[in-house]
Amino acid sequence: RSSDLDRMGAGGPLFIDVTWHPAGDPASDKETSSMIIANTALNYCGLETVLHMTCVNHSKTEITQHLEKAKRLGLKNIMALRGDPIGEEWEEEKEGFNFAIDLVKHIRCEFDDYFDICVAGYPKGHPEAETYEQDLKHLKEKVDAGADFVITQLFFRSEIGRA
């Protein structure tokens, strides 16, 4: 609802981000879909918006269609995420994307610099990373592939953010 977004906007945030939840049909035209919430926030409430987009369980064609729709709606900020596996175990996508870096590369290849791309960073390392150094290497690869900025998860000890 735009009245809720208007109340959020009263606080003067630099931007809001809208999560992408596969079970919620995120790219549909339903008023509760991620795409339409981001559209409403940007185009009706004037809030700078970052649309999360996960690539797990989506083909390249589907991802391209979602990005084309985001562009048509005037959305310019995408948070490129792998997303969580559907089942217990991770299964490689044969015709899709397996990591956020794949999505970053695809966005740059198909849309050049239209989108500002955000990626996730983990102050204490990604839970699936074997080492912190390995996680930093993967973060650098995402930036080198075309990410414009990094958002980290919340942390409570300031020395973690200075590491």
Side-chain angles (χ1 to χ4, degrees):
R1 294 184 357 213
S2 62
S3 61
D4 293 334
L5 293 170
D6 288 333
R7 280 199 305 275
M8 277 195 286
L14 293 175
F15 64 89
I16 64 166
D17 60 329
V18 178
T19 60
W20 184 270
H21 193 276
D25 200 8
S28 76
D29 288 328
K30 295 177 190 173
E31 67 180 31
T32 56
S33 75
S34 303
M35 190 80 71
I36 298 305
I37 291 170
N39 174 57
T40 301
L42 178 67
N43 294 311
Y44 295 98
C45 301
L47 296 170
E48 193 67 41
T49 303
V50 177
L51 176 64
H52 291 206
M53 187 172 289
T54 62
C55 58
V56 67
N57 286 339
H58 289 289
S59 69
K60 288 182 181 182
T61 300
E62 289 172 319
I63 290 291
T64 301
Q65 289 170 346
H66 298 334
L67 290 163
E68 287 171 346
K69 182 174 184 176
K71 184 176 179 179
R72 280 193 312 275
L73 294 173
L75 300 170
K76 292 192 58 80
N77 303 303
I78 301 293
M79 184 161 185
L81 302 163
R82 178 194 75 181
D84 296 324
I86 298 300
E88 293 292 319
E89 297 292 321
W90 177 256
E91 294 181 27
E92 187 170 317
E93 297 286 330
K94 291 187 180 10
E95 297 298 322
F97 303 99
N98 290 294
F99 300 101
I101 190 171
D102 301 328
L103 180 53
V104 171
K105 289 177 180 178
H106 180 73
I107 293 169
R108 282 292 171 243
C109 178
E110 296 296 318
F111 296 91
D112 197 34
D113 288 333
Y114 175 80
F115 291 106
D116 288 326
I117 302 172
C118 173
V119 293
Y122 300 85
K124 296 182 90 173
H126 190 282
E128 295 175 12
E130 291 180 22
T131 65
Y132 184 71
E133 290 74 21
Q134 179 194 50
D135 188 55
L136 285 177
K137 179 179 175 265
H138 290 310
L139 179 60
K140 182 179 182 326
E141 289 169 350
K142 290 188 283 188
V143 172
D144 290 346
D148 296 296
F149 62 107
V150 178
I151 292 181
T152 66
Q153 293 181 328
L154 182 67
F155 54 91
F156 295 101
R157 294 177 47 215
S158 62
E159 58 273 8
I160 291 171
R162 287 186 246 131

